[in-house]
Amino acid sequence: SFVIFMYLSYHILSLVSTVSSKITQMRLSRNMSAKELANKININSATLSRYERGKFSIERIDINILQNIAIACRYERESLLTPFLKFKLYKDQILTDYITINNISKSELAKQLNVSYTLVKSWFTNKNRSPSHNVWQTAFKDFTLQWFKNKLM
């Protein structure tokens, strides 16, 4: 289990690094200073600096800020979003489809994931609550990738 923890920790750090370097690349591709970009999307320079240096949690990052950065740099709205962040953005639809397609209840999903029913219920009722990256990785990643592939067809 320590090896799994180390792998997942490395994987999350890699995701953060990818997102933060993409932010910097986008900004520089438009010849914008960090201050110009921060002003353009109405955040302070310190916040943008934290994002560019990878000083954020992939689970708590503000997806709206990432989308605003992409738009301000004239990129596609979701171009900074990893599959996990896209899952968080569309989680209501994805989770509803997941339990419908698998013909399971929320309480059965909770048992499958070995988490509380209250937690699972909060994923459906609270916009700001989502499965953790680890839960997504083990339980929903393949479904999410297929879900997006089907939506694009």
PDB file of all heavy atoms in Angstrom, residues 18-28 37 48 51-52 56 61 66 69 73 80:
ATOM      1  N   THR A  18       2.206  19.375 -15.043  1.00  0.00           N
ATOM      2  CA  THR A  18       1.731  19.516 -16.420  1.00  0.00           C
ATOM      3  C   THR A  18       0.832  20.736 -16.560  1.00  0.00           C
ATOM      4  O   THR A  18       1.004  21.543 -17.477  1.00  0.00           O
ATOM      5  CB  THR A  18       0.979  18.242 -16.864  1.00  0.00           C
ATOM      6  OG1 THR A  18       1.871  17.136 -16.788  1.00  0.00           O
ATOM      7  CG2 THR A  18       0.429  18.371 -18.263  1.00  0.00           C
ATOM      8  N   VAL A  19      -0.114  20.881 -15.645  1.00  0.00           N
ATOM      9  CA  VAL A  19      -1.042  22.015 -15.705  1.00  0.00           C
ATOM     10  C   VAL A  19      -0.278  23.325 -15.525  1.00  0.00           C
ATOM     11  O   VAL A  19      -0.474  24.273 -16.288  1.00  0.00           O
ATOM     12  CB  VAL A  19      -2.171  21.886 -14.649  1.00  0.00           C
ATOM     13  CG1 VAL A  19      -3.000  23.155 -14.552  1.00  0.00           C
ATOM     14  CG2 VAL A  19      -3.067  20.689 -14.970  1.00  0.00           C
ATOM     15  N   SER A  20       0.606  23.374 -14.539  1.00  0.00           N
ATOM     16  CA  SER A  20       1.316  24.630 -14.276  1.00  0.00           C
ATOM     17  C   SER A  20       2.221  25.022 -15.445  1.00  0.00           C
ATOM     18  O   SER A  20       2.263  26.193 -15.828  1.00  0.00           O
ATOM     19  CB  SER A  20       2.109  24.552 -12.962  1.00  0.00           C
ATOM     20  OG  SER A  20       3.116  23.582 -13.033  1.00  0.00           O
ATOM     21  N   SER A  21       2.913  24.066 -16.063  1.00  0.00           N
ATOM     22  CA  SER A  21       3.770  24.421 -17.194  1.00  0.00           C
ATOM     23  C   SER A  21       2.937  24.835 -18.412  1.00  0.00           C
ATOM     24  O   SER A  21       3.339  25.720 -19.169  1.00  0.00           O
ATOM     25  CB  SER A  21       4.744  23.298 -17.534  1.00  0.00           C
ATOM     26  OG  SER A  21       4.070  22.166 -17.990  1.00  0.00           O
ATOM     27  N   LYS A  22       1.761  24.233 -18.589  1.00  0.00           N
ATOM     28  CA  LYS A  22       0.881  24.646 -19.695  1.00  0.00           C
ATOM     29  C   LYS A  22       0.403  26.078 -19.511  1.00  0.00           C
ATOM     30  O   LYS A  22       0.285  26.828 -20.486  1.00  0.00           O
ATOM     31  CB  LYS A  22      -0.340  23.724 -19.778  1.00  0.00           C
ATOM     32  CG  LYS A  22      -0.137  22.466 -20.553  1.00  0.00           C
ATOM     33  CD  LYS A  22      -1.480  21.737 -20.602  1.00  0.00           C
ATOM     34  CE  LYS A  22      -1.504  20.622 -21.600  1.00  0.00           C
ATOM     35  NZ  LYS A  22      -2.826  19.948 -21.620  1.00  0.00           N
ATOM     36  N   ILE A  23       0.115  26.464 -18.270  1.00  0.00           N
ATOM     37  CA  ILE A  23      -0.319  27.836 -17.998  1.00  0.00           C
ATOM     38  C   ILE A  23       0.765  28.807 -18.443  1.00  0.00           C
ATOM     39  O   ILE A  23       0.501  29.771 -19.170  1.00  0.00           O
ATOM     40  CB  ILE A  23      -0.649  28.039 -16.497  1.00  0.00           C
ATOM     41  CG1 ILE A  23      -1.888  27.247 -16.103  1.00  0.00           C
ATOM     42  CG2 ILE A  23      -0.835  29.527 -16.181  1.00  0.00           C
ATOM     43  CD1 ILE A  23      -2.134  27.178 -14.601  1.00  0.00           C
ATOM     44  N   THR A  24       1.996  28.531 -18.028  1.00  0.00           N
ATOM     45  CA  THR A  24       3.114  29.403 -18.387  1.00  0.00           C
ATOM     46  C   THR A  24       3.313  29.441 -19.905  1.00  0.00           C
ATOM     47  O   THR A  24       3.492  30.506 -20.489  1.00  0.00           O
ATOM     48  CB  THR A  24       4.408  28.935 -17.683  1.00  0.00           C
ATOM     49  OG1 THR A  24       4.163  28.878 -16.277  1.00  0.00           O
ATOM     50  CG2 THR A  24       5.555  29.887 -17.951  1.00  0.00           C
ATOM     51  N   GLN A  25       3.254  28.270 -20.538  1.00  0.00           N
ATOM     52  CA  GLN A  25       3.422  28.210 -22.000  1.00  0.00           C
ATOM     53  C   GLN A  25       2.346  29.017 -22.718  1.00  0.00           C
ATOM     54  O   GLN A  25       2.638  29.742 -23.677  1.00  0.00           O
ATOM     55  CB  GLN A  25       3.375  26.756 -22.485  1.00  0.00           C
ATOM     56  CG  GLN A  25       4.587  25.944 -22.104  1.00  0.00           C
ATOM     57  CD  GLN A  25       4.378  24.442 -22.373  1.00  0.00           C
ATOM     58  OE1 GLN A  25       3.330  24.021 -22.857  1.00  0.00           O
ATOM     59  NE2 GLN A  25       5.389  23.647 -22.030  1.00  0.00           N
ATOM     60  N   MET A  26       1.109  28.887 -22.270  1.00  0.00           N
ATOM     61  CA  MET A  26       0.019  29.641 -22.897  1.00  0.00           C
ATOM     62  C   MET A  26       0.249  31.141 -22.778  1.00  0.00           C
ATOM     63  O   MET A  26       0.101  31.885 -23.749  1.00  0.00           O
ATOM     64  CB  MET A  26      -1.323  29.290 -22.242  1.00  0.00           C
ATOM     65  CG  MET A  26      -1.892  27.982 -22.642  1.00  0.00           C
ATOM     66  SD  MET A  26      -3.478  27.775 -21.784  1.00  0.00           S
ATOM     67  CE  MET A  26      -4.074  26.329 -22.632  1.00  0.00           C
ATOM     68  N   ARG A  27       0.598  31.559 -21.567  1.00  0.00           N
ATOM     69  CA  ARG A  27       0.804  32.993 -21.319  1.00  0.00           C
ATOM     70  C   ARG A  27       1.941  33.525 -22.187  1.00  0.00           C
ATOM     71  O   ARG A  27       1.803  34.547 -22.861  1.00  0.00           O
ATOM     72  CB  ARG A  27       1.102  33.228 -19.834  1.00  0.00           C
ATOM     73  CG  ARG A  27       1.410  34.691 -19.509  1.00  0.00           C
ATOM     74  CD  ARG A  27       1.623  34.909 -18.035  1.00  0.00           C
ATOM     75  NE  ARG A  27       2.710  34.164 -17.458  1.00  0.00           N
ATOM     76  CZ  ARG A  27       4.008  34.479 -17.590  1.00  0.00           C
ATOM     77  NH1 ARG A  27       4.372  35.513 -18.315  1.00  0.00           N
ATOM     78  NH2 ARG A  27       4.940  33.751 -16.994  1.00  0.00           N
ATOM     79  N   LEU A  28       3.057  32.791 -22.205  1.00  0.00           N
ATOM     80  CA  LEU A  28       4.207  33.242 -22.982  1.00  0.00           C
ATOM     81  C   LEU A  28       3.933  33.208 -24.482  1.00  0.00           C
ATOM     82  O   LEU A  28       4.449  34.047 -25.228  1.00  0.00           O
ATOM     83  CB  LEU A  28       5.444  32.404 -22.636  1.00  0.00           C
ATOM     84  CG  LEU A  28       5.958  32.565 -21.197  1.00  0.00           C
ATOM     85  CD1 LEU A  28       7.117  31.606 -20.930  1.00  0.00           C
ATOM     86  CD2 LEU A  28       6.359  34.014 -20.923  1.00  0.00           C
ATOM     87  N   LEU A  37      -1.822  38.988 -17.527  1.00  0.00           N
ATOM     88  CA  LEU A  37      -2.786  37.888 -17.530  1.00  0.00           C
ATOM     89  C   LEU A  37      -3.647  37.919 -16.273  1.00  0.00           C
ATOM     90  O   LEU A  37      -4.869  37.775 -16.340  1.00  0.00           O
ATOM     91  CB  LEU A  37      -2.083  36.532 -17.667  1.00  0.00           C
ATOM     92  CG  LEU A  37      -3.000  35.300 -17.636  1.00  0.00           C
ATOM     93  CD1 LEU A  37      -4.096  35.388 -18.713  1.00  0.00           C
ATOM     94  CD2 LEU A  37      -2.188  34.025 -17.799  1.00  0.00           C
ATOM     95  N   LEU A  48      -1.906  33.738  -9.624  1.00  0.00           N
ATOM     96  CA  LEU A  48      -1.381  33.239 -10.901  1.00  0.00           C
ATOM     97  C   LEU A  48       0.020  32.661 -10.717  1.00  0.00           C
ATOM     98  O   LEU A  48       0.335  31.597 -11.252  1.00  0.00           O
ATOM     99  CB  LEU A  48      -1.362  34.343 -11.959  1.00  0.00           C
ATOM    100  CG  LEU A  48      -0.853  33.907 -13.333  1.00  0.00           C
ATOM    101  CD1 LEU A  48      -1.699  32.771 -13.909  1.00  0.00           C
ATOM    102  CD2 LEU A  48      -0.807  35.086 -14.287  1.00  0.00           C
ATOM    103  N   TYR A  51      -0.216  29.220  -9.323  1.00  0.00           N
ATOM    104  CA  TYR A  51      -0.650  28.283 -10.357  1.00  0.00           C
ATOM    105  C   TYR A  51       0.513  27.938 -11.282  1.00  0.00           C
ATOM    106  O   TYR A  51       0.718  26.777 -11.622  1.00  0.00           O
ATOM    107  CB  TYR A  51      -1.823  28.866 -11.165  1.00  0.00           C
ATOM    108  CG  TYR A  51      -3.179  28.694 -10.510  1.00  0.00           C
ATOM    109  CD1 TYR A  51      -3.366  28.898  -9.149  1.00  0.00           C
ATOM    110  CD2 TYR A  51      -4.284  28.337 -11.256  1.00  0.00           C
ATOM    111  CE1 TYR A  51      -4.608  28.748  -8.561  1.00  0.00           C
ATOM    112  CE2 TYR A  51      -5.538  28.187 -10.680  1.00  0.00           C
ATOM    113  CZ  TYR A  51      -5.685  28.388  -9.329  1.00  0.00           C
ATOM    114  OH  TYR A  51      -6.915  28.227  -8.754  1.00  0.00           O
ATOM    115  N   GLU A  52       1.279  28.931 -11.687  1.00  0.00           N
ATOM    116  CA  GLU A  52       2.393  28.689 -12.603  1.00  0.00           C
ATOM    117  C   GLU A  52       3.532  27.912 -11.945  1.00  0.00           C
ATOM    118  O   GLU A  52       4.267  27.214 -12.627  1.00  0.00           O
ATOM    119  CB  GLU A  52       2.924  30.006 -13.180  1.00  0.00           C
ATOM    120  CG  GLU A  52       1.992  30.606 -14.210  1.00  0.00           C
ATOM    121  CD  GLU A  52       2.625  31.726 -15.013  1.00  0.00           C
ATOM    122  OE1 GLU A  52       3.716  32.210 -14.653  1.00  0.00           O
ATOM    123  OE2 GLU A  52       2.015  32.108 -16.031  1.00  0.00           O
ATOM    124  N   PHE A  56      -0.537  24.287  -5.936  1.00  0.00           N
ATOM    125  CA  PHE A  56      -1.972  24.136  -5.762  1.00  0.00           C
ATOM    126  C   PHE A  56      -2.295  22.656  -5.661  1.00  0.00           C
ATOM    127  O   PHE A  56      -1.498  21.807  -6.033  1.00  0.00           O
ATOM    128  CB  PHE A  56      -2.751  24.778  -6.924  1.00  0.00           C
ATOM    129  CG  PHE A  56      -2.412  24.208  -8.272  1.00  0.00           C
ATOM    130  CD1 PHE A  56      -3.032  23.061  -8.743  1.00  0.00           C
ATOM    131  CD2 PHE A  56      -1.466  24.818  -9.080  1.00  0.00           C
ATOM    132  CE1 PHE A  56      -2.717  22.534  -9.983  1.00  0.00           C
ATOM    133  CE2 PHE A  56      -1.143  24.307 -10.325  1.00  0.00           C
ATOM    134  CZ  PHE A  56      -1.773  23.161 -10.777  1.00  0.00           C
ATOM    135  N   ILE A  61      -8.216  22.966  -6.995  1.00  0.00           N
ATOM    136  CA  ILE A  61      -7.971  24.066  -7.926  1.00  0.00           C
ATOM    137  C   ILE A  61      -9.287  24.612  -8.465  1.00  0.00           C
ATOM    138  O   ILE A  61     -10.256  23.867  -8.630  1.00  0.00           O
ATOM    139  CB  ILE A  61      -7.035  23.621  -9.075  1.00  0.00           C
ATOM    140  CG1 ILE A  61      -6.530  24.831  -9.845  1.00  0.00           C
ATOM    141  CG2 ILE A  61      -7.716  22.619  -9.967  1.00  0.00           C
ATOM    142  CD1 ILE A  61      -5.357  24.534 -10.745  1.00  0.00           C
ATOM    143  N   LEU A  66      -8.830  28.254 -14.377  1.00  0.00           N
ATOM    144  CA  LEU A  66      -8.136  27.585 -15.479  1.00  0.00           C
ATOM    145  C   LEU A  66      -8.826  27.879 -16.815  1.00  0.00           C
ATOM    146  O   LEU A  66      -8.159  28.136 -17.826  1.00  0.00           O
ATOM    147  CB  LEU A  66      -8.068  26.076 -15.242  1.00  0.00           C
ATOM    148  CG  LEU A  66      -7.201  25.612 -14.078  1.00  0.00           C
ATOM    149  CD1 LEU A  66      -7.254  24.097 -13.954  1.00  0.00           C
ATOM    150  CD2 LEU A  66      -5.760  26.089 -14.228  1.00  0.00           C
ATOM    151  N   ILE A  69      -8.056  31.452 -17.823  1.00  0.00           N
ATOM    152  CA  ILE A  69      -6.683  31.578 -18.331  1.00  0.00           C
ATOM    153  C   ILE A  69      -6.640  31.148 -19.795  1.00  0.00           C
ATOM    154  O   ILE A  69      -6.081  31.841 -20.647  1.00  0.00           O
ATOM    155  CB  ILE A  69      -5.698  30.749 -17.474  1.00  0.00           C
ATOM    156  CG1 ILE A  69      -5.511  31.388 -16.092  1.00  0.00           C
ATOM    157  CG2 ILE A  69      -4.342  30.598 -18.186  1.00  0.00           C
ATOM    158  CD1 ILE A  69      -4.756  30.505 -15.095  1.00  0.00           C
ATOM    159  N   CYS A  73      -5.870  33.589 -23.044  1.00  0.00           N
ATOM    160  CA  CYS A  73      -4.719  33.304 -23.906  1.00  0.00           C
ATOM    161  C   CYS A  73      -5.160  32.813 -25.287  1.00  0.00           C
ATOM    162  O   CYS A  73      -4.340  32.339 -26.076  1.00  0.00           O
ATOM    163  CB  CYS A  73      -3.806  32.279 -23.236  1.00  0.00           C
ATOM    164  SG  CYS A  73      -3.005  32.888 -21.746  1.00  0.00           S
ATOM    165  N   LEU A  80      -6.781  23.454 -20.495  1.00  0.00           N
ATOM    166  CA  LEU A  80      -5.930  23.231 -19.314  1.00  0.00           C
ATOM    167  C   LEU A  80      -6.459  22.119 -18.408  1.00  0.00           C
ATOM    168  O   LEU A  80      -5.825  21.768 -17.424  1.00  0.00           O
ATOM    169  CB  LEU A  80      -5.809  24.515 -18.482  1.00  0.00           C
ATOM    170  CG  LEU A  80      -4.879  25.584 -19.037  1.00  0.00           C
ATOM    171  CD1 LEU A  80      -5.049  26.887 -18.265  1.00  0.00           C
ATOM    172  CD2 LEU A  80      -3.436  25.111 -18.981  1.00  0.00           C
TER     173      LEU A  80
END
